[in-house]
Amino acid sequence: MTVTIRRAGPGDAATVHGLMRALAEQQGHPDAVTATAADLAAALRRPDVTYLLAERDGRPVGYVSWLERISFWSGDDYLALDDLFVVDAARGQGVGERLMRAAAEIAKGRVIRWEVGEANAGARRFYERMGAQLTSKQICRWQPS
Ligand SMILES: CC(C)(COP(=O)(O)OP(=O)(O)OC[C@H]1O[C@@H](n2cnc3c(N)ncnc32)[C@H](O)[C@@H]1OP(=O)(O)O)[C@@H](O)C(=O)NCCC(=O)NCCS
């Protein structure tokens, strides 16, 4: 079985939507994905947004998504990962690592940054094994009225 990785376009919005909902459900937040497939199609047109889809025998098995951002301190661009997800049935077969390596290839030396939950021991182990440095900070969210 061959796993291929490709950039998702607006025509993949429904697939991406389904994978995002599966991730949200697994994380215990089934209603957290409020974006519609149409919203995602618009996001997939943005030049600063990338979704890479992993497919096995033509079926979606995972994705990694990111935004391109600038660090004002260093002046360098970096990749801000949003999600990394592999469906249950395809885990432990190197798909997650392939997705991260594909992101690294596109990063072309730029730093890649992302967040991982303190309790997500499996993912933390996965990232550390890849050589990522993990540090802790609090995430703040403010919705001014
Ligand atoms: C983390 C994740 C992307 C890894 O994908 P993957 O394709 O299984 O990864 P690989 O096969 O390349 O590597 C397997 C490693 O992933 C880690 N892992 C984390 N959760 C796992 C799971 N449920 N099943 C298998 N491996 C898991 C293990 O450390 C494993 O390493 P090991 O074989 O030494 O135990 C995947 O488990 C996943 O989608 N998890 C749920 C979503 C998530 O937590 N994403 C990260 C949010 S920051």
Side-chain angles (χ1 to χ4, degrees):
M1 280 184 285
T2 320
V3 172
T4 54
I5 292 175
R6 65 173 177 88
R7 272 175 197 262
D12 298 302
T15 298
V16 169
H17 194 237
L19 288 168
M20 284 172 59
R21 286 168 61 107
L23 171 59
E25 200 159 306
Q26 259 188 26
Q27 292 190 335
H29 307 290
D31 302 323
V33 178
T34 53
T36 62
D39 293 333
L40 289 174
L44 288 163
R45 285 192 184 91
R46 288 173 50 146
D48 56 339
V49 168
T50 302
Y51 276 80
L52 295 184
L53 262 185
E55 293 170 319
R56 190 164 62 188
D57 299 331
R59 290 174 186 217
V61 290
Y63 73 100
V64 62
S65 54
W66 70 82
L67 281 124
E68 292 185 24
R69 295 210 180 128
I70 185 167
S71 161
F72 287 118
W73 278 26
S74 69
D76 294 331
D77 291 333
Y78 68 94
L79 271 50
L81 286 201
D82 193 45
D83 283 336
L84 170 71
F85 177 60
V86 175
V87 299
D88 269 347
R91 287 197 190 152
Q93 298 162 39
V95 178
E97 182 160 355
R98 287 263 320 267
L99 283 164
M100 291 298 284
R101 301 270 168 225
E105 216 165 282
I106 295 172
K108 291 197 181 85
R110 289 173 292 180
V111 169
I112 305 178
R113 290 171 59 169
W114 67 94
E115 293 161 9
V116 59
E118 294 274 0
N120 197 345
R124 293 168 70 87
R125 214 172 46 239
F126 167 81
Y127 294 139
E128 277 173 338
R129 198 182 57 184
M130 275 181 22
Q133 292 166 342
L134 275 63
T135 52
S136 290
K137 270 191 182 181
Q138 298 282 296
I139 298 170
C140 303
R141 188 171 179 276
W142 182 35
Q143 190 159 24
S145 50

